[in-house]
Amino acid sequence: MDLRTLCSVLLLPLQILCCAVKAFVRFFIPGKRRDLSGDVVLITGGGRGIGRHLAREFAKCGAKKLILWGRTEKCLKDTCEEITLMGTECHYFICDVANREEVYKQAKVVREKVGDVTILVNNAAVVHGKSLMDSDDDALLKSQHINTMGQFWTTKAFLPRMLELQTGHIVCVNSILSLSPIPGTIDYCTSKASSLAFMESLTLGLLDCPGVGCTTVLPFHTNTEMFQGMRVRFPKLFPPLRPEVVAQRTVDAVRTNTAFVYLPWTMNALVILKCILPQSALEEIHRFSGTYTCMNTFKGRT
Ligand SMILES: NC(=O)c1ccc[n+]([C@@H]2O[C@H](COP(=O)([O-])OP(=O)(O)OC[C@H]3O[C@@H](n4cnc5c(N)ncnc54)[C@H](OP(=O)(O)O)[C@@H]3O)[C@@H](O)[C@H]2O)c1
């Protein structure tokens, strides 16, 4: 081993320690927050649920312009009107993120009519809430196309310009189910797990790109229409998150350039437990919390 390699090897533990200490300190004393006054934010699925709260939060935090994408005009229009009333310029476009051609076409329209997108929030998703055998093949494909592939197309459409401008942020509203899947929603968990891999790869891939960052948020069950009817065994012990809290934490993570956020923070324990406990112990935790059966009462909307 030459001297240079030896020095790098010896330095690595020190660098890791330094990063860990820095992250610990930043947890309590976050650095300067990004000023959003020059940012054009595009939110997929911005018409309702967490997307609508994200639009409100970005507007509250001073974003310059907001663009909402979705399939249902009424929700998009209502949210757009609300954001305009708040004093922030807002536009909406009908766009199915699963349709690659439509994404590229609408991205061009956005660039021409509104300007360069500097923050892209990949939030749109669907859940069917059925087991593998009960799902028809088209439904299984649909969730992969919307929840995973949709992000490929939107990111390909907007990232190149962010890299040119040396300013931009790609956000993914993922789910804790990407790390801890449950039965009864196998396609959703799979799509979220591949979406997490997509974001992990993108985050590392953008390391040497000045001004461009990534944020992935992994929330626990949140009180929107998406998982309506789902019942955990101890709702008082594991209450659903409020969508406004998810939105606040997401916008704050963008402003502090935080790469990964687990919501609530106690979900960090789940990640550690998954690495150290045997499968049988994990199964006991699932049995105790009722995640084996929580989708039996599901009656959400796709
Ligand atoms: N709710 C939860 O418990 C929970 C927990 C963890 C993570 N999440 C994640 O949070 C995000 C938002 O979920 P939510 O709870 O707000 O659900 P939601 O209320 O059902 O909203 C989903 C949004 O996605 C849009 N959408 C769906 N398919 C689309 C498509 N093909 N093209 C464009 N837009 C599409 C919907 O708009 P249209 O129907 O108008 O297209 C809607 O605005 C999702 O990524 C979800 O996986 C949710």
Side-chain angles (χ1 to χ4, degrees), residues 148-196:
T148 310
M149 297 313 293
Q151 289 186 82
F152 281 61
W153 317 137
T154 55
T155 306
K156 279 196 82 178
F158 295 109
L159 182 60
R161 189 68 185 132
M162 293 182 189
L163 294 171
E164 264 173 40
L165 296 171
Q166 299 203 338
T167 179
H169 210 93
I170 309 283
V171 185
C172 166
V173 183
N174 201 285
S175 166
I176 203 66
L177 293 183
S178 62
L179 290 171
S180 183
I182 55 171
T185 178
I186 194 164
D187 55 330
Y188 178 81
C189 296
T190 308
S191 69
K192 288 292 178 182
S194 39
S195 154
L196 177 61

Side-chain angles (χ1 to χ4, degrees), residues 45-51 69-72 95-98 123-126 146 173-175 188 192 219-222 224-227 301:
R48 60 174 144 213
I50 294 172
W69 276 9
R71 297 167 304 177
T72 315
C95 183
D96 178 350
V97 296
N123 164 76
V126 289
I146 297 174
V173 183
N174 201 285
S175 166
Y188 178 81
K192 288 292 178 182
F220 175 68
H221 178 214
T222 306
T224 66
E225 284 176 67
M226 184 174 253
F227 280 96
R301 164 182 52 76

Side-chain angles (χ1 to χ4, degrees), residues 131-143:
S131 70
L132 180 66
M133 293 312 170
D134 289 338
S135 303
D136 74 68
D137 294 356
D138 286 338
L140 292 174
L141 276 173
K142 190 175 160 189
S143 46

Side-chain angles (χ1 to χ4, degrees), residues 36-37 39-41 55-68 79-91:
L36 300 177
S37 61
D39 282 304
V40 177
V41 185
R56 285 181 188 146
E57 193 59 27
F58 272 111
K60 249 195 261 169
C61 291
K64 186 179 172 195
K65 295 179 191 177
L66 280 166
I67 301 151
L68 314 173
T79 309
C80 195
E81 280 171 3
E82 185 191 332
I83 301 301
T84 309
L85 279 176
M86 287 172 77
T88 305
E89 184 179 328
C90 188
H91 305 260

